[in-house]
Amino acid sequence: MKILHTMLRVGNLQRAIDFYTQVLGMQLLRTSENPEYKYSLAFVGYEGGNPGQAEIELTYNWGTESYDIGTAYGHIAIAVPDAHAACERIKAVGGQVTREAGPVKGGTTVIAFVTDPDGYKIELIQAKSTTYEDRRHSDAKNTDPLRSA
């Protein structure tokens, strides 16, 4: 078994597509419309999505502009080679960083959080190849950290 996708209900499909493709660097994999049941879908992901990677299904129920996320939802996690550089790139293209990159409380893994336009949280988890201390003292060049994850 494997995870195929996670579905998020969104209040504006194009705004959500723009965030996941332009801010997080995902690809728009496919879309569909269902006029009979009044909803539209967009699937986004990295590296072509399934079968190699799980996807995110963005669901727009026609006429519903917002949702109460509730207290049970946590976040989606994305691996990035450099969380600090990812945060800078996200801010540069208008994304909202809600927790700057730094070590997780009680650990050494470097994480950050961003929030999508519908309020969903996305955790950026830095690959283990660079520790927090290494990054703080690094002169590594700034690359596109999300597209190379």
Side-chain angles (χ1 to χ4, degrees):
M1 287 192 264
K2 67 186 248 176
I3 295 174
L4 298 176
H5 68 261
T6 297
M7 187 270 277
L8 300 176
R9 290 180 178 90
V10 300
N12 179 309
L13 188 58
Q14 190 58 55
R15 179 184 69 193
I17 290 169
D18 290 348
F19 175 81
Y20 285 94
T21 58
Q22 295 172 18
V23 176
L24 294 184
M26 293 183 182
Q27 300 165 326
L28 176 60
L29 303 170
R30 61 190 175 283
T31 61
S32 67
E33 300 277 330
N34 193 314
E36 181 180 357
Y37 294 102
K38 298 181 180 169
Y39 69 86
S40 302
L41 304 176
F43 289 82
V44 295
Y46 295 109
E47 299 176 13
N50 285 318
Q53 294 254 353
E55 302 171 353
I56 296 176
E57 174 188 343
L58 303 171
T59 300
Y60 173 64
N61 292 300
W62 299 358
T64 303
E65 301 304 316
S66 66
Y67 290 92
D68 177 18
I69 295 174
T71 58
Y73 175 80
H75 60 270
I76 296 167
I78 297 173
V80 296
D82 183 331
H84 294 274
C87 287
E88 292 307 312
R89 181 191 171 280
I90 287 167
K91 288 188 281 188
V93 296
Q96 181 185 6
V97 174
T98 52
R99 184 211 192 264
E100 292 289 339
V104 67
K105 290 180 183 178
T108 59
T109 301
V110 177
I111 66 167
F113 276 89
V114 299
T115 302
D116 85 355
D118 288 283
Y120 295 110
K121 304 293 184 199
I122 297 102
E123 180 180 21
L124 308 176
I125 302 175
Q126 184 167 298
K128 297 283 186 186
S129 62
T130 305
T131 66
Y132 176 66
E133 287 301 315
D134 291 340
R135 176 57 180 96
R136 284 183 44 202
H137 303 291
S138 169
D139 291 325
K141 65 180 180 181
N142 187 4
T143 61
D144 187 346
L146 294 177
R147 295 184 195 274
S148 62

